[in-house]
Amino acid sequence: MMEVDGSNTSMNRAPPPPPQSSSLRSSRSKVLYQFKQQKLPACKPVLTPTSVITVFMLMGFVFIPIGFVTLRASRDAIEIVDRYDVECIPEEYRTNKLSYITDSSISKNCTRYLKVQKHMKAPIFIYYQLDNYYQNHRRYVKSRSDQQLLHGREYSHTSACEPEESSNDGLPIVPCGLIAWSMFNDTFTFAQLKVSRNNIAWKSDREHKFGKDVYPFNFQNGSLVGGAKLDPKVPLSDQEDFIVWMRAAALLSFRKLYGRIEEDLEPGSVVVVNLFNNYNTYSFSGQKKLILSTSSWLGGRNDFLGITYIVVGASSIVISIIFILLHLKNPRPYGDNSWNKKSLSS
Amino acid sequence: MAGERNRNKGMRLSKLYSFKCLKPFSKEDHHSQIGSRGYSRVVFCNDPDNPEALNLNYRGNYVSTTKYTAANFVPKSLFEQFRRVANIYFLVVAFVSFSPLAPYTAPSVLAPLLFVIGATMVKEGVEDLRRRRQDVEANNRRVLVFGKNEGTFGETKWKNLRVGDVVKVHKDEYFPADLLLLSSSYEDGVCYVETMNLDGETNLKLKHALEITSESDYDQEEFRGGVIKCEDPNEHLYSFVGTLHYKGQQYPLSPQQILLRDSKLRNTDYIYGVVVFTGHDTKVMQNATDPPSKRSKIERKMDKIVYVLFSILIVIAFTGSVFFGIITRRDVTDDGKKLRRWYVRPDVTSVFYDPHRAVLASFFHFLTALMLYGYLIPISLYVSIEVVKVLQSVFINQDQEMYHEETDRPARARTSNLNEELGQVDTILSDKTGTLTCNSMEFVKCSIGGTAYGRGMTEVEVALRKQKGVMTPQEEIKESSTKSVKGFNFWDERIVNGRWIDQPNAELIQKFFRVLAICHTAIPDVDGETGEISYEAESPDEAAFVIASRELGFEFFARSQSNISLHEIDHVTGEKVDRVYELLHVLEFSSSRKRMSVIVRNPENRLLLLSKGADSVMFERLAKHGRQFERETKEHIKRYAEAGLRTLVITYREVDEEEYRIWEEEFLNAKTLVTEDRDALIDAAADKIEKDLILLGSTAVEDKLQKGVPDCIEKLSQAGVKIWVLTGDKTETAINIGYACSLLREGMKKILITLDSPDIETLEKQGDKDAVAKASFQSIKKQLREGMSQTAAAAATNDPANENVQMFGLVIDGKSLTFALDKKLEKEFLELTSRCSSVICCRSSPKQKALVTRLVKSGTGRTTLAIGDGANDVGMLQEADIGVGISGAEGMQAVMASDFAIAQFRFLERLLLVHGHWCYRRIAMMICYFFYKNLAFGFTLFWYEAYASFSGKPAYNDWYMSCYNVFFTSLPVIALGVFDQDVSARLCLKYPLLYQEGVQNILFSWERILGWMSNGIISSMIVFFLTIHTLDSQAFRKDGQVADYSVLGVTMYSSVVWTVNCQMAISINYFTWIQHCFIWGSIGFWYLFLVVYGSLPPTFSTTAFQVFVETSAPSPICWLTLVLVTFSALLPYFTYRAFQIKFRPMYHDIIVEQRRTERPESGTRTTSIVSGELPVQVEFTLHHLKANLSRRDSWN
């Protein structure tokens, strides 16, 4: 497709002899001359049928294997998805889920049994997934104070945190803002399984964004309690749940890392999860899911990438075949001089 | 201050005053105007401290040509910037960005705006500083002024000069202000002036002082008591109206006494003068107005596209706010009790998100969205285009192949606005003399007393013979010319070397050459050492005459204000004698008079009127007894004209004393008038004596064709450009020049429109002007109709596919042109001309040239280019879309009024076919690409909004976005705009039809623009949807982490940067290291930026903190996504291009292909075998191009 067109056509007129003081200078002045006269040696790509077919074919033959490899990787990741937001509501509340979730006197305890279909190798990641939840809402995303998270109560410019900036008595809230206030508060406990809840947040977040001596203060003391409470004795940089929650999701359906199961799960075994279904997603008809997933080198299970690679690869091969067929049906000799002569004679 | 205001008021009214209907007509009281409005200036000579003079409070001589001052630079240049709609939009956005409405932080909005505005302001500032430095230099020059040192001349700075000061200027110094010449180092008070800086004319001009003032030496005696009353400052360089009141008398002043600022004193040791106009009142400063600024068609179209983008912006912003309003309202249930999305606290909220006031909230959201999607409007577009155009101009200026070595003149783009317009020229309107020809006249033939002299062959004759095929090569060799003299190419054994005295008509020959030697305004310049004489003449014709008469024995060697001296050969004795003629009056040449005369008294004390002029005015002025050789001379003139020569008729008469005395009185009366119709009165007076002339003969000078003109015209007409020649020459001359420069070709059908028919001539003789006009009108109408039917018949018989289309050439003369340009015939005329491939308008005046230009421009709506070299072309150059000036011999006025200046006509070929084509292509591509890249980026934001409940959260970090236009995508576009070449210069010239791509505006048609825009939108969709689905909710790394907002933003943004830069890479045709550097450099710079920005503290870098290093770089899925997205986003365009090149190739595609296959056999290119059939697709394209061409040509 590309061809280097160096000295041949682009320099067919010799530059005036440059001063021959030294070869370096003359070559530099030659380059300068070519530059000024717009005759720099250039590569001029030409789309000949051969190059077009080559490009499409090459693209097909590279993309399809990549597609299969990534698809394979995606399939290697084994996933157990359990939607529990409906199941965990007693039958009598099914018609009015909102009253169930907002009534704090009702126990939210719920037990789920997850059946393992295939062998899952440790570490198995535990996620919770929320759907139809706009963590990317502008008001929501802006409602935090990075300075306060890092420096604590002393930092008072927290107007972005409105209306969760300070409590009615004027005391500042640490951590302030809607994101912190609405923190997810369903809890999951796994019987007989070794579960680690550490190292679930990004290292840079723990070290640079959340203060080591910043302790929650006056948090969830308002008239309206949003989500989870934080242990006021633990510094923010150690509250990894919180750090994970504070990293806003891009889209309205997202997963957040909850912990890791540090042992393999055998096929046929059942994982028993005790959970407290506290978080209100019912008012905006969001779903809640619990996910157990292993990861391949590519990450979790998502066939989209692999399939798209295959589709794009295949379609470029199809295009090239169409091109070849049309070309054969309608061949045009390249480098035909005749048309030019005729046009000149007119 | 008050005085100044009064004066200004007077000036403004004086403009009104120039409407003639308001003028009180008074013939006898012509001084009445002095002192009245427009003529109110009073100068107290050498008395600037006079209380009355102080009261007048005229401006000082301080001059400032800068656009800005230190104080107003910032506000004024900002104002200039914000006259562009797009910039106002960005300014408003910048202000609003400080409010909570803004979707991103204020600094990130301000930074690119400040960068763009700042860059432009710096450019303005630097330019202005340069002007300022020149001003300072000029203001601080020194001049000798009287009165500085107690009654003598002392030095002062120019800026300190005041009106009324008497100054002394030495040889080769510039005049510091407009001066009244008092006296000079010459006894008779003459001085020579070079006006190069004013009008660019290099010849010296003679000025002379009034006799009353010229006799004194003002170093000895003070000039006192003079009062000048004159016109107010105006811009007319060649007029001046005023009187000098001195010693109780009034003396009329004329331009002859005025020395203008910025002209230079030459050949004169010193002069004395009184300052009349200072500083900005001087004529040269009054003239310094900017030429009309022209904008290219592409740029005007671009404005429309910006409006389209604005509409898209408004539509998507509106859509977004409607959705936002609906979603926001639903945040609270209908009963108002329950909150849906409780986590955004819709119960406690500001107005921007208030569910109860959703309409208001969505209105505010609309404003937010306008800002958010502002990336659809490319902020850097205007700046980039400006930068690109300036660089393109540099390349034009640098082009070695448009550099004329002999005159050391490169091509110059005087404005960079019109580069791309050069690629779209449809019609070229060309001047002839000096443009197609060299304008260096050579005296080749003459006809004296009915005998033709001169044996030389002219170029036109040679060309004509060549075309007829009767050329014998030996004929070209010059006859034994003894020596070559510039301006003289005459050989005739009968009269050279003084042999004319043996001729039977020696007396006539003597008279003839005397006229040539005396009747002119040239100034001799005697070389002190060799004694050789050279001449400074106002026109090259005159120089040729003086030189011819010198070569034949009538050597003009000295001129004073009242005398002309010649070395002559006496035809009786054959001896060389000096004869002095007393010069009484010069009746100057003007384009309306078409003749010039002098009245002299010869040594025998007889009064003679010597006159030369165009045949059209001279023959009617002959005396009854002076028509002895009329028939032969007319015959000769016709032959000379056919040979492409310029002819002048030479006549004389004797005037008797009495007649002269009466006439002189009237003439002087007219001359001393200070009214506006003075010139008309002088002409009328001159008319009275220029009659009853006796014919001597005629001269014929050749104006050689410039080098390469025929080839250039041939190439241009192959490129489908129509060429009109507008000339003042006679019809025959014009036609023959037309043949010589291959404007008219053998086999071309000539349509001649003229009024030289017997009926009209007889009508003219009867003198009934109305009847003549009516008959002329009818005649032109008829001729136009005939022409139309001829061309229509040819078009009907010609199959458009047929290669040998009958070509037409139209020739029309000036008189007919006035009728053809009439409103009623205009349309038919235009249609006829559009069917002819070349048009020659002969005998047209400068005003007609401009009119024709305007007609063509407005009538066809196509791009016109006017090319000319002289002052008479200025109107035409300014009227046309593009004015090209030839920086040749005839002054700089045309160049000053032009947009491009070249040294030779033949450079036009390269200027249009190479630079024009390239620039057009580059700018068109560049703008399309600009819109593509901004839509591709801007729409990803919109798609993301759809996934963020249209709340106004952008998908990317603020600073990524603000750097998009300026840092990550701008340099490759600039490289495209400056360097891209579809085909090399050689091929542009080889295949001139390629130029039609620009003329038919194929590369910047709406289809193409919209195509690029949709490509942008498709790319944005591919980028967005592929990215969000690959980076879905699952883990995106082996360690189980999920992709959050920041990761998605970085990945998507990287994809956009890769996509638009790779799109650039596959759409340009020319890769040098510069392109590689910029394209890959931009992508590299994005990653560099990401690393550097990501390592800043998180409070500043927010979502970008460590995102690349820690999060996305180690994730294979991010890279795989990037590859997939980039390739997929380019796939639609690439597929389109591949199929298009194969099955619907554009003309340049074919040429590129051509070049590729040509190279292997480059050695045998000349003998390459023509393969029989034309490939279908090529034929199709060609056919298409040509069909467009012929359709345009025939049915405009």
Side-chain angles (χ1 to χ4, degrees), chain A residues 3 5 8-9 12-13 33 35-49 52 55-56 59 63 66 70 98 125 127 129 133-134 136-142 146-147 163-164 178 181-182 200-204 208-209 224 226 247-253 255 257 279-280 283-284 295-302 304-305 308-309 312 319 323 326-327 330 332 334-346, chain B residues 100-103 338-345 348-349 353 368 395 398-401 718 803 915 918 922 944 947-949 951-953 979 981 986 991 1026 1028-1030 1032-1042 1044-1046 1048 1069-1074 1098-1099 1102 1105 1110-1111 1116-1117 1120 1123-1124 1127-1128 1131 1134-1135 1138-1139 1141-1143 1145 1147 1150 1152-1157 1159 1168 1170-1171 1173-1175 1177-1178 1182 1186:
Chain A
E3 56 179 283
D5 181 349
N8 212 338
T9 50
N12 55 352
R13 287 190 192 87
Y33 175 83
F35 175 76
K36 282 184 184 164
Q37 300 305 314
Q38 311 192 51
K39 283 180 186 168
L40 282 172
C43 155
K44 300 172 187 172
V46 181
L47 283 180
T48 61
V52 167
V55 168
F56 277 122
M59 211 172 124
F63 270 36
I66 295 181
T70 48
L98 206 53
F125 300 100
Y127 303 95
Q129 175 167 344
Y133 190 105
Y134 288 93
N136 56 13
H137 193 280
R138 181 154 69 105
R139 174 172 156 88
Y140 185 81
V141 177
K142 271 167 58 174
D146 287 341
Q147 295 278 4
E164 296 300 327
L178 289 174
W181 175 75
S182 63
I200 55 173
W202 292 103
K203 191 160 166 267
S204 66
H208 300 284
K209 286 193 184 168
L224 198 63
R247 195 149 171 139
L251 299 166
L252 63 165
S253 162
R255 286 178 195 176
L257 195 54
Y279 203 67
N280 176 12
S283 65
F284 51 88
S295 74
S296 65
W297 58 272
L298 205 56
R301 183 174 183 126
N302 183 358
F304 183 82
L305 187 66
T308 317
Y309 259 110
V312 171
I319 292 170
F323 192 88
L326 284 174
H327 181 57
N330 207 350
R332 171 152 71 92
Y334 276 73
D336 192 316
N337 286 333
S338 57
W339 60 272
N340 179 46
K341 296 239 158 96
K342 282 201 179 180
S343 83
L344 285 180
S345 67
S346 68
Chain B
L101 280 174
K338 288 170 193 159
L339 311 176
R340 270 208 172 96
R341 293 190 295 182
W342 55 270
Y343 52 90
V344 292
R345 289 299 295 268
V348 193
T349 179
Y353 305 98
T368 306
F395 277 127
Q398 292 281 352
D399 195 330
Q400 281 292 325
E401 288 175 40
Q718 274 172 25
E803 300 292 333
H915 289 281
W918 279 349
R922 289 165 181 171
Y944 183 73
Y947 284 73
S949 72
S951 60
K953 178 73 189 166
F979 304 110
Q981 306 177 359
R986 184 178 64 85
Y991 305 112
L1026 289 191
I1028 64 160
H1029 283 113
T1030 52
D1032 202 7
S1033 49
Q1034 91 286 2
F1036 80 113
R1037 290 168 30 140
K1038 189 163 171 50
D1039 62 3
Q1041 291 288 2
V1042 292
D1044 65 332
Y1045 172 80
S1046 60
L1048 184 80
N1069 306 289
Y1070 189 72
F1071 261 103
T1072 65
W1073 53 268
I1074 301 170
T1099 44
T1102 60
F1105 182 65
E1110 186 191 22
T1111 321
I1117 206 169
L1120 281 172
V1123 172
L1124 174 72
F1127 275 91
S1128 318
L1131 199 57
F1134 189 76
T1135 312
F1139 279 83
I1141 283 189
K1142 178 70 180 71
F1143 301 104
Y1147 196 71
I1150 302 173
V1152 168
E1153 227 165 58
Q1154 177 78 33
R1155 177 210 54 168
R1156 203 178 150 273
T1157 45
R1159 189 161 346 100
S1168 69
V1170 180
S1171 64
E1173 272 295 288
L1174 205 58
Q1177 297 82 12
V1178 186
L1182 258 181
K1186 277 194 197 147

Side-chain angles (χ1 to χ4, degrees), chain B residues 585-601:
Chain B
H585 287 287
V586 178
L587 311 177
E588 277 169 37
F589 179 86
S590 76
S591 55
S592 57
R593 278 163 43 78
K594 293 186 178 164
R595 61 182 180 272
M596 97 159 258
S597 311
V598 293
I599 300 171
V600 294
R601 192 184 292 280

Side-chain angles (χ1 to χ4, degrees), chain A residues 11-55:
Chain A
M11 290 168 47
N12 55 352
R13 287 190 192 87
Q20 297 287 332
S21 54
S22 73
S23 68
L24 182 75
R25 208 174 120 200
S26 85
S27 84
R28 190 189 294 161
S29 76
K30 186 178 145 201
V31 168
L32 199 67
Y33 175 83
Q34 287 175 338
F35 175 76
K36 282 184 184 164
Q37 300 305 314
Q38 311 192 51
K39 283 180 186 168
L40 282 172
C43 155
K44 300 172 187 172
V46 181
L47 283 180
T48 61
T50 332
S51 60
V52 167
I53 293 165
T54 320
V55 168

Side-chain angles (χ1 to χ4, degrees), chain B residues 140 225 230 347 367 408 543 573 627 695 740 852 935 1068 1127 1160 1180 1185:
Chain B
N140 289 327
C230 66
D347 53 329
L367 298 181
D408 186 29
T573 62
R627 294 176 183 262
L695 179 67
V852 170
L935 283 170
I1068 61 176
F1127 275 91
F1180 176 79
L1185 270 175

Side-chain angles (χ1 to χ4, degrees), chain B residues 417-705:
Chain B
N417 284 346
L418 297 171
N419 294 345
E420 70 274 18
E421 197 90 337
L422 284 177
Q424 295 188 281
V425 173
D426 181 68
T427 310
I428 294 175
L429 299 119
S430 171
D431 171 46
K432 199 209 84 185
T433 310
T435 305
L436 299 177
T437 61
C438 305
N439 199 19
S440 67
M441 305 295 169
E442 287 191 340
F443 189 89
V444 283
K445 296 186 186 201
C446 61
S447 151
I448 305 170
T451 316
Y453 295 99
R455 304 236 187 265
M457 274 263 273
T458 66
E459 273 184 25
V460 173
E461 284 172 315
V462 173
L464 284 177
R465 289 201 182 192
K466 253 187 203 162
Q467 283 201 351
K468 285 183 185 137
V470 289
M471 186 64 207
T472 46
Q474 295 309 312
E475 266 179 304
E476 270 180 298
I477 298 169
K478 280 258 159 69
E479 292 95 300
S480 59
S481 60
T482 45
K483 55 177 178 176
S484 104
V485 178
K486 192 174 173 289
F488 186 70
N489 185 21
F490 181 83
W491 174 258
D492 195 311
E493 70 289 345
R494 287 172 290 181
I495 53 176
V496 294
N497 296 336
R499 263 174 271 171
W500 59 269
I501 50 173
D502 304 328
Q503 287 287 309
N505 55 354
E507 203 174 334
L508 278 174
I509 296 178
Q510 184 191 36
K511 281 180 181 162
F512 183 86
F513 285 107
R514 262 188 200 152
V515 175
L516 291 188
I518 298 169
C519 177
H520 56 76
T521 55
I523 301 163
D525 194 2
V526 183
D527 191 316
E529 284 168 21
T530 61
E532 269 179 35
I533 300 173
S534 57
Y535 300 102
E536 299 268 359
E538 272 177 34
S539 74
D541 302 68
E542 249 178 17
F545 292 148
V546 190
I547 290 167
S549 50
R550 179 186 71 193
E551 295 301 315
L552 292 168
F554 298 84
E555 190 173 36
F556 160 56
F557 70 94
R559 172 192 285 277
S560 70
Q561 197 170 356
S562 54
N563 288 322
I564 285 181
S565 316
L566 304 184
H567 301 300
E568 273 186 35
I569 302 175
D570 189 283
H571 80 276
V572 182
T573 62
E575 281 170 19
K576 227 175 176 187
V577 289
D578 281 10
R579 281 166 69 92
V580 179
Y581 295 83
E582 189 189 346
L583 181 63
L584 299 171
H585 287 287
V586 178
L587 311 177
E588 277 169 37
F589 179 86
S590 76
S591 55
S592 57
R593 278 163 43 78
K594 293 186 178 164
R595 61 182 180 272
M596 97 159 258
S597 311
V598 293
I599 300 171
V600 294
R601 192 184 292 280
N602 72 5
E604 288 79 36
N605 202 21
R606 297 232 300 268
L607 281 171
L608 291 174
L609 172 84
L610 311 177
S611 183
K612 63 175 198 236
D615 55 346
S616 59
V617 295
M618 294 305 277
F619 280 114
E620 61 199 40
R621 303 189 163 269
L622 294 182
K624 283 231 162 59
H625 60 280
R627 294 176 183 262
Q628 201 183 336
F629 320 110
E630 189 182 357
R631 204 176 46 79
E632 295 94 326
T633 309
K634 272 191 171 164
E635 180 61 31
H636 290 153
I637 288 177
K638 190 161 170 264
R639 252 175 34 213
Y640 293 154
E642 279 169 2
L645 299 171
R646 291 154 72 98
T647 57
L648 279 183
V649 175
I650 306 296
T651 61
Y652 83 107
R653 85 180 257 227
E654 285 190 30
V655 186
D656 63 64
E657 295 287 342
E658 180 60 20
E659 185 193 357
Y660 173 70
R661 205 181 47 73
I662 298 168
W663 174 82
E664 187 181 31
E665 198 175 330
E666 187 186 337
F667 183 67
L668 287 179
N669 251 334
K671 262 194 142 174
T672 51
L673 277 179
V674 247
T675 55
E676 281 170 0
D677 50 358
R678 194 182 84 144
D679 288 347
L681 288 172
I682 290 176
D683 284 358
D687 237 27
K688 285 193 180 155
I689 197 146
E690 290 170 325
K691 61 175 186 188
D692 297 333
L693 302 168
I694 297 166
L695 179 67
L696 283 172
S698 92
T699 58
V701 283
E702 182 181 19
D703 190 1
K704 282 218 156 98
L705 275 186

Side-chain angles (χ1 to χ4, degrees), chain B residues 228-337:
Chain B
I228 301 163
K229 295 192 173 172
C230 66
E231 60 183 14
D232 284 337
N234 61 41
E235 73 280 9
H236 307 298
L237 285 178
Y238 306 109
S239 82
F240 179 80
V241 178
T243 45
L244 173 68
H245 298 247
Y246 186 51
K247 293 184 178 164
Q249 290 268 337
Q250 292 190 14
Y251 302 92
L253 300 175
S254 73
Q256 277 299 310
Q257 282 86 43
I258 298 300
L259 308 171
L260 300 177
R261 184 189 166 115
D262 276 1
S263 49
K264 201 180 197 178
L265 185 65
R266 298 286 303 273
N267 285 11
T268 315
D269 290 336
Y270 56 85
I271 59 105
Y272 299 100
V274 179
V275 176
V276 181
F277 296 120
T278 47
H280 288 274
D281 293 340
T282 56
K283 300 225 175 213
V284 62
M285 296 305 289
Q286 294 272 322
N287 254 299
T289 46
D290 292 328
S293 75
K294 299 174 181 173
R295 293 191 71 202
S296 73
K297 288 210 167 84
I298 287 202
E299 231 172 287
R300 273 175 274 166
K301 194 165 182 180
M302 188 174 80
D303 285 348
K304 281 187 204 141
I305 304 172
V306 171
Y307 289 128
V308 169
L309 287 180
F310 265 116
S311 330
I312 296 179
L313 169 62
I314 286 169
V315 167
I316 64 171
F318 182 77
T319 318
S321 4
V322 168
F323 279 107
F324 175 76
I326 294 170
I327 296 168
T328 305
R329 173 172 286 165
R330 286 181 48 216
D331 275 347
V332 175
T333 46
D334 294 336
D335 53 8
K337 294 267 168 56

